[in-house]
Amino acid sequence: MVGDMSEKAALRRQLLAARTLLTSDDVQEAAAVLANVALNLPELRRAGTVAAYVSIGSEPGTRALLDVLRERGVRVLLPVLLEDNDLDWAVYEGAEGLVRARRGLLEPSGPRQGVDAVLEADTVLLPGLAVDVRGMRLGRGGGSYDRVLARIARAGHDPALVVLLYANEVVERVPEEPHDHPVHAVVTPEATLRFRA
């Protein structure tokens, strides 16, 4: 377990370092391609409610995607980071409704829907740093999405779990811990990979 944790930390450092080398043009170009590809995913075309997040910095961009989903009439839930690192949720009402929050995050300013609101999502877009060939996801290490995924599993809910990444972030192996949950698909500007029928 300690070995897996130090392996995860090393992999996180390596991937975050690679992201710092991206120019703002690189990030914007990848975001446009990712939005086009993701919007055509059956998991997003069929969804009435999508739990997503607002990308920041050099993360693979989600903002264009959020706006198009909203324009399509999809209910988009965005996370609100709680003091204990769990996530509450609020409805995305457009970029003008986002406010700066802790850790440089952008969060919706509207009414909170509660931590269980994620259980209403047909598809959950998860942030990540890597996904391996088995569908195991590497997050940033804060544990917020581990709680979300555990809540979903406990409820017996089965939304599509999708991660947006850069191509170099699909790796051979992510160190795995017992609480880790595999995702169903990863989307990069170059390809979409699925991990279950």
Side-chain angles (χ1 to χ4, degrees):
M1 180 102 154
V2 172
D4 280 350
M5 288 172 63
S6 61
E7 278 183 71
K8 279 187 173 182
L11 185 55
R12 280 189 187 103
R13 283 192 300 274
Q14 174 189 335
L15 293 164
L16 286 168
R19 281 187 181 179
T20 65
L21 301 176
L22 296 170
T23 66
S24 59
D25 284 347
D26 293 335
V27 173
Q28 287 175 355
E29 286 171 24
V33 175
L34 280 168
N36 284 333
V37 174
L39 286 165
N40 287 311
L41 289 176
E43 293 89 342
L44 288 177
R45 280 202 315 264
R46 293 191 301 251
T49 298
V50 172
Y53 62 97
V54 181
S55 57
I56 56 170
S58 59
E59 280 187 307
T62 62
R63 299 207 198 175
L65 180 59
L66 300 178
D67 287 331
V68 175
L69 287 171
R70 186 169 168 258
E71 287 163 16
R72 284 183 179 176
V74 175
R75 181 172 176 248
V76 178
L77 297 173
L78 295 178
V80 177
L81 185 64
L82 300 173
E83 288 297 324
D84 65 356
N85 281 346
D86 204 346
L87 297 177
D88 199 336
W89 300 87
V91 176
Y92 178 56
E93 300 290 356
E96 64 283 354
L98 297 175
V99 294
R100 285 262 165 225
R102 292 185 304 134
R103 299 187 186 168
L105 299 174
L106 285 170
E107 297 177 344
S109 57
R112 304 300 183 248
Q113 306 294 305
V115 294
D116 287 334
V118 71
L119 302 178
E120 299 162 19
D122 304 300
T123 299
V124 179
L125 291 180
L126 301 161
L129 292 173
V131 169
D132 71 17
V133 295
R134 304 165 301 153
M136 298 308 296
R137 171 187 154 271
L138 177 70
R140 285 187 175 257
S144 298
Y145 280 90
D146 292 331
R147 293 181 191 198
V148 168
L149 293 171
R151 183 171 289 121
I152 288 169
R154 276 194 309 273
H157 187 44
D158 189 28
L161 303 176
V162 179
V163 182
L164 306 180
L165 295 176
Y166 298 110
N168 66 298
E169 296 171 341
V170 178
V171 299
E172 191 62 35
R173 182 179 168 275
V174 165
E176 181 183 342
E177 294 177 69
H179 63 264
D180 290 334
H181 295 264
V183 300
H184 303 135
V186 61
V187 179
T188 74
E190 289 79 12
T192 299
L193 302 173
R194 296 182 184 283
F195 305 104
R196 74 165 191 188

